PDB file of all heavy atoms in Angstrom:
ATOM      1  N   MET A 128       5.691  20.917  -4.133  1.00  0.00           N
ATOM      2  CA  MET A 128       6.133  21.985  -5.037  1.00  0.00           C
ATOM      3  C   MET A 128       7.230  21.528  -5.993  1.00  0.00           C
ATOM      4  O   MET A 128       7.349  22.064  -7.101  1.00  0.00           O
ATOM      5  CB  MET A 128       6.611  23.183  -4.220  1.00  0.00           C
ATOM      6  CG  MET A 128       5.498  24.006  -3.582  1.00  0.00           C
ATOM      7  SD  MET A 128       4.396  24.765  -4.811  1.00  0.00           S
ATOM      8  CE  MET A 128       5.541  25.829  -5.681  1.00  0.00           C
ATOM      9  N   LEU A 129       8.026  20.559  -5.603  1.00  0.00           N
ATOM     10  CA  LEU A 129       9.101  20.125  -6.490  1.00  0.00           C
ATOM     11  C   LEU A 129       8.568  19.487  -7.770  1.00  0.00           C
ATOM     12  O   LEU A 129       9.274  19.435  -8.785  1.00  0.00           O
ATOM     13  CB  LEU A 129      10.031  19.141  -5.767  1.00  0.00           C
ATOM     14  CG  LEU A 129      10.892  19.730  -4.642  1.00  0.00           C
ATOM     15  CD1 LEU A 129      11.940  18.726  -4.193  1.00  0.00           C
ATOM     16  CD2 LEU A 129      11.568  21.026  -5.069  1.00  0.00           C
ATOM     17  N   PHE A 130       7.328  19.011  -7.745  1.00  0.00           N
ATOM     18  CA  PHE A 130       6.720  18.441  -8.942  1.00  0.00           C
ATOM     19  C   PHE A 130       6.197  19.517  -9.896  1.00  0.00           C
ATOM     20  O   PHE A 130       5.730  19.193 -10.987  1.00  0.00           O
ATOM     21  CB  PHE A 130       5.570  17.504  -8.564  1.00  0.00           C
ATOM     22  CG  PHE A 130       6.004  16.188  -7.994  1.00  0.00           C
ATOM     23  CD1 PHE A 130       6.108  16.014  -6.626  1.00  0.00           C
ATOM     24  CD2 PHE A 130       6.313  15.121  -8.826  1.00  0.00           C
ATOM     25  CE1 PHE A 130       6.508  14.799  -6.090  1.00  0.00           C
ATOM     26  CE2 PHE A 130       6.719  13.905  -8.305  1.00  0.00           C
ATOM     27  CZ  PHE A 130       6.819  13.741  -6.930  1.00  0.00           C
ATOM     28  N   MET A 131       6.259  20.762  -9.492  1.00  0.00           N
ATOM     29  CA  MET A 131       5.633  21.836 -10.260  1.00  0.00           C
ATOM     30  C   MET A 131       6.568  22.520 -11.245  1.00  0.00           C
ATOM     31  O   MET A 131       6.363  23.671 -11.604  1.00  0.00           O
ATOM     32  CB  MET A 131       5.051  22.890  -9.298  1.00  0.00           C
ATOM     33  CG  MET A 131       3.880  22.378  -8.470  1.00  0.00           C
ATOM     34  SD  MET A 131       2.437  21.967  -9.495  1.00  0.00           S
ATOM     35  CE  MET A 131       2.532  20.171  -9.510  1.00  0.00           C
ATOM     36  N   GLY A 132       7.580  21.810 -11.709  1.00  0.00           N
ATOM     37  CA  GLY A 132       8.420  22.341 -12.778  1.00  0.00           C
ATOM     38  C   GLY A 132       9.831  22.649 -12.329  1.00  0.00           C
ATOM     39  O   GLY A 132      10.078  23.060 -11.189  1.00  0.00           O
ATOM     40  N   THR A 133      10.765  22.452 -13.258  1.00  0.00           N
ATOM     41  CA  THR A 133      12.175  22.753 -13.017  1.00  0.00           C
ATOM     42  C   THR A 133      12.698  23.580 -14.179  1.00  0.00           C
ATOM     43  O   THR A 133      12.021  23.758 -15.194  1.00  0.00           O
ATOM     44  CB  THR A 133      12.996  21.454 -12.893  1.00  0.00           C
ATOM     45  OG1 THR A 133      12.895  20.716 -14.129  1.00  0.00           O
ATOM     46  CG2 THR A 133      12.490  20.590 -11.742  1.00  0.00           C
ATOM     47  N   GLU A 134      13.909  24.079 -14.038  1.00  0.00           N
ATOM     48  CA  GLU A 134      14.475  24.903 -15.107  1.00  0.00           C
ATOM     49  C   GLU A 134      14.586  24.112 -16.410  1.00  0.00           C
ATOM     50  O   GLU A 134      14.297  24.625 -17.491  1.00  0.00           O
ATOM     51  CB  GLU A 134      15.861  25.409 -14.677  1.00  0.00           C
ATOM     52  CG  GLU A 134      16.449  26.426 -15.626  1.00  0.00           C
ATOM     53  CD  GLU A 134      17.749  26.999 -15.091  1.00  0.00           C
ATOM     54  OE1 GLU A 134      18.803  26.358 -15.307  1.00  0.00           O
ATOM     55  OE2 GLU A 134      17.702  28.064 -14.444  1.00  0.00           O
ATOM     56  N   LYS A 135      14.963  22.838 -16.318  1.00  0.00           N
ATOM     57  CA  LYS A 135      15.118  22.018 -17.521  1.00  0.00           C
ATOM     58  C   LYS A 135      13.767  21.542 -18.046  1.00  0.00           C
ATOM     59  O   LYS A 135      13.573  21.443 -19.268  1.00  0.00           O
ATOM     60  CB  LYS A 135      16.011  20.814 -17.210  1.00  0.00           C
ATOM     61  CG  LYS A 135      16.304  19.950 -18.439  1.00  0.00           C
ATOM     62  CD  LYS A 135      17.311  18.852 -18.121  1.00  0.00           C
ATOM     63  CE  LYS A 135      17.607  18.011 -19.365  1.00  0.00           C
ATOM     64  NZ  LYS A 135      18.613  16.939 -19.089  1.00  0.00           N
ATOM     65  N   TYR A 136      12.840  21.251 -17.131  1.00  0.00           N
ATOM     66  CA  TYR A 136      11.505  20.772 -17.514  1.00  0.00           C
ATOM     67  C   TYR A 136      10.453  21.663 -16.848  1.00  0.00           C
ATOM     68  O   TYR A 136       9.897  21.321 -15.806  1.00  0.00           O
ATOM     69  CB  TYR A 136      11.309  19.318 -17.074  1.00  0.00           C
ATOM     70  CG  TYR A 136      12.308  18.354 -17.663  1.00  0.00           C
ATOM     71  CD1 TYR A 136      13.358  17.854 -16.899  1.00  0.00           C
ATOM     72  CD2 TYR A 136      12.199  17.936 -18.985  1.00  0.00           C
ATOM     73  CE1 TYR A 136      14.269  16.959 -17.434  1.00  0.00           C
ATOM     74  CE2 TYR A 136      13.110  17.045 -19.535  1.00  0.00           C
ATOM     75  CZ  TYR A 136      14.156  16.559 -18.749  1.00  0.00           C
ATOM     76  OH  TYR A 136      15.056  15.680 -19.284  1.00  0.00           O
ATOM     77  N   PRO A 137      10.197  22.828 -17.421  1.00  0.00           N
ATOM     78  CA  PRO A 137       9.358  23.817 -16.734  1.00  0.00           C
ATOM     79  C   PRO A 137       7.868  23.486 -16.676  1.00  0.00           C
ATOM     80  O   PRO A 137       7.152  24.063 -15.854  1.00  0.00           O
ATOM     81  CB  PRO A 137       9.586  25.096 -17.556  1.00  0.00           C
ATOM     82  CG  PRO A 137      10.022  24.620 -18.908  1.00  0.00           C
ATOM     83  CD  PRO A 137      10.784  23.356 -18.673  1.00  0.00           C
ATOM     84  N   LYS A 138       7.390  22.577 -17.496  1.00  0.00           N
ATOM     85  CA  LYS A 138       5.963  22.273 -17.499  1.00  0.00           C
ATOM     86  C   LYS A 138       5.549  21.677 -16.150  1.00  0.00           C
ATOM     87  O   LYS A 138       6.190  20.770 -15.627  1.00  0.00           O
ATOM     88  CB  LYS A 138       5.642  21.286 -18.627  1.00  0.00           C
ATOM     89  CG  LYS A 138       4.157  21.037 -18.835  1.00  0.00           C
ATOM     90  CD  LYS A 138       3.935  20.071 -20.002  1.00  0.00           C
ATOM     91  CE  LYS A 138       2.462  19.753 -20.172  1.00  0.00           C
ATOM     92  NZ  LYS A 138       2.236  18.771 -21.265  1.00  0.00           N
ATOM     93  N   GLU A 139       4.417  22.173 -15.613  1.00  0.00           N
ATOM     94  CA  GLU A 139       4.017  21.788 -14.256  1.00  0.00           C
ATOM     95  C   GLU A 139       3.803  20.285 -14.088  1.00  0.00           C
ATOM     96  O   GLU A 139       4.226  19.709 -13.099  1.00  0.00           O
ATOM     97  CB  GLU A 139       2.729  22.523 -13.857  1.00  0.00           C
ATOM     98  CG  GLU A 139       2.972  23.862 -13.221  1.00  0.00           C
ATOM     99  CD  GLU A 139       1.713  24.426 -12.593  1.00  0.00           C
ATOM    100  OE1 GLU A 139       0.618  23.894 -12.844  1.00  0.00           O
ATOM    101  OE2 GLU A 139       1.847  25.411 -11.845  1.00  0.00           O
ATOM    102  N   ASN A 140       3.139  19.688 -15.011  1.00  0.00           N
ATOM    103  CA  ASN A 140       2.816  18.264 -14.848  1.00  0.00           C
ATOM    104  C   ASN A 140       3.711  17.370 -15.703  1.00  0.00           C
ATOM    105  O   ASN A 140       3.308  16.305 -16.134  1.00  0.00           O
ATOM    106  CB  ASN A 140       1.339  18.007 -15.181  1.00  0.00           C
ATOM    107  CG  ASN A 140       1.047  18.244 -16.657  1.00  0.00           C
ATOM    108  OD1 ASN A 140       1.660  19.099 -17.289  1.00  0.00           O
ATOM    109  ND2 ASN A 140       0.108  17.486 -17.208  1.00  0.00           N
ATOM    110  N   LYS A 141       4.937  17.821 -15.936  1.00  0.00           N
ATOM    111  CA  LYS A 141       5.851  17.081 -16.801  1.00  0.00           C
ATOM    112  C   LYS A 141       6.105  15.673 -16.265  1.00  0.00           C
ATOM    113  O   LYS A 141       6.090  14.693 -17.028  1.00  0.00           O
ATOM    114  CB  LYS A 141       7.174  17.832 -16.932  1.00  0.00           C
ATOM    115  CG  LYS A 141       8.229  17.108 -17.768  1.00  0.00           C
ATOM    116  CD  LYS A 141       7.794  16.947 -19.217  1.00  0.00           C
ATOM    117  CE  LYS A 141       8.887  16.317 -20.061  1.00  0.00           C
ATOM    118  NZ  LYS A 141       8.455  16.100 -21.451  1.00  0.00           N
ATOM    119  N   ALA A 142       6.344  15.544 -14.965  1.00  0.00           N
ATOM    120  CA  ALA A 142       6.627  14.215 -14.394  1.00  0.00           C
ATOM    121  C   ALA A 142       5.432  13.294 -14.574  1.00  0.00           C
ATOM    122  O   ALA A 142       5.574  12.134 -14.987  1.00  0.00           O
ATOM    123  CB  ALA A 142       7.001  14.335 -12.913  1.00  0.00           C
ATOM    124  N   ASP A 143       4.245  13.802 -14.289  1.00  0.00           N
ATOM    125  CA  ASP A 143       3.038  12.979 -14.377  1.00  0.00           C
ATOM    126  C   ASP A 143       2.748  12.578 -15.821  1.00  0.00           C
ATOM    127  O   ASP A 143       2.438  11.422 -16.115  1.00  0.00           O
ATOM    128  CB  ASP A 143       1.859  13.743 -13.778  1.00  0.00           C
ATOM    129  CG  ASP A 143       0.640  12.854 -13.587  1.00  0.00           C
ATOM    130  OD1 ASP A 143       0.817  11.641 -13.385  1.00  0.00           O
ATOM    131  OD2 ASP A 143      -0.487  13.372 -13.642  1.00  0.00           O
ATOM    132  N   SER A 144       2.849  13.550 -16.739  1.00  0.00           N
ATOM    133  CA  SER A 144       2.527  13.256 -18.141  1.00  0.00           C
ATOM    134  C   SER A 144       3.535  12.287 -18.747  1.00  0.00           C
ATOM    135  O   SER A 144       3.168  11.398 -19.516  1.00  0.00           O
ATOM    136  CB  SER A 144       2.475  14.545 -18.969  1.00  0.00           C
ATOM    137  OG  SER A 144       3.728  15.206 -18.966  1.00  0.00           O
ATOM    138  N   THR A 145       4.813  12.433 -18.386  1.00  0.00           N
ATOM    139  CA  THR A 145       5.829  11.529 -18.925  1.00  0.00           C
ATOM    140  C   THR A 145       5.653  10.122 -18.361  1.00  0.00           C
ATOM    141  O   THR A 145       5.767   9.132 -19.087  1.00  0.00           O
ATOM    142  CB  THR A 145       7.240  12.050 -18.607  1.00  0.00           C
ATOM    143  OG1 THR A 145       7.368  13.389 -19.109  1.00  0.00           O
ATOM    144  CG2 THR A 145       8.301  11.176 -19.249  1.00  0.00           C
ATOM    145  N   ALA A 146       5.372  10.035 -17.072  1.00  0.00           N
ATOM    146  CA  ALA A 146       5.129   8.722 -16.475  1.00  0.00           C
ATOM    147  C   ALA A 146       3.945   8.040 -17.157  1.00  0.00           C
ATOM    148  O   ALA A 146       3.974   6.832 -17.427  1.00  0.00           O
ATOM    149  CB  ALA A 146       4.878   8.859 -14.976  1.00  0.00           C
ATOM    150  N   SER A 147       2.905   8.823 -17.453  1.00  0.00           N
ATOM    151  CA  SER A 147       1.741   8.271 -18.132  1.00  0.00           C
ATOM    152  C   SER A 147       2.105   7.753 -19.517  1.00  0.00           C
ATOM    153  O   SER A 147       1.590   6.718 -19.965  1.00  0.00           O
ATOM    154  CB  SER A 147       0.643   9.334 -18.235  1.00  0.00           C
ATOM    155  OG  SER A 147      -0.510   8.820 -18.841  1.00  0.00           O
ATOM    156  N   ASP A 148       3.015   8.449 -20.201  1.00  0.00           N
ATOM    157  CA  ASP A 148       3.458   8.000 -21.516  1.00  0.00           C
ATOM    158  C   ASP A 148       4.109   6.617 -21.445  1.00  0.00           C
ATOM    159  O   ASP A 148       4.077   5.854 -22.417  1.00  0.00           O
ATOM    160  CB  ASP A 148       4.464   8.988 -22.114  1.00  0.00           C
ATOM    161  CG  ASP A 148       3.818  10.317 -22.502  1.00  0.00           C
ATOM    162  OD1 ASP A 148       2.574  10.354 -22.616  1.00  0.00           O
ATOM    163  OD2 ASP A 148       4.555  11.300 -22.673  1.00  0.00           O
ATOM    164  N   TYR A 149       4.714   6.330 -20.303  1.00  0.00           N
ATOM    165  CA  TYR A 149       5.376   5.036 -20.109  1.00  0.00           C
ATOM    166  C   TYR A 149       4.536   4.110 -19.224  1.00  0.00           C
ATOM    167  O   TYR A 149       5.076   3.243 -18.537  1.00  0.00           O
ATOM    168  CB  TYR A 149       6.754   5.238 -19.474  1.00  0.00           C
ATOM    169  CG  TYR A 149       7.743   5.987 -20.345  1.00  0.00           C
ATOM    170  CD1 TYR A 149       8.164   7.269 -19.997  1.00  0.00           C
ATOM    171  CD2 TYR A 149       8.242   5.418 -21.513  1.00  0.00           C
ATOM    172  CE1 TYR A 149       9.082   7.962 -20.786  1.00  0.00           C
ATOM    173  CE2 TYR A 149       9.151   6.105 -22.305  1.00  0.00           C
ATOM    174  CZ  TYR A 149       9.568   7.370 -21.936  1.00  0.00           C
ATOM    175  OH  TYR A 149      10.467   8.051 -22.723  1.00  0.00           O
TER     176      TYR A 149
END
Side-chain angles (χ1 to χ4, degrees):
M128 285 297 298
L129 291 191
F130 286 94
M131 293 295 104
T133 61
E134 188 174 84
K135 184 174 181 179
Y136 301 104
K138 187 179 177 182
E139 272 192 348
N140 67 328
K141 177 64 176 177
D143 191 29
S144 61
T145 304
S147 182
D148 290 343
Y149 295 111

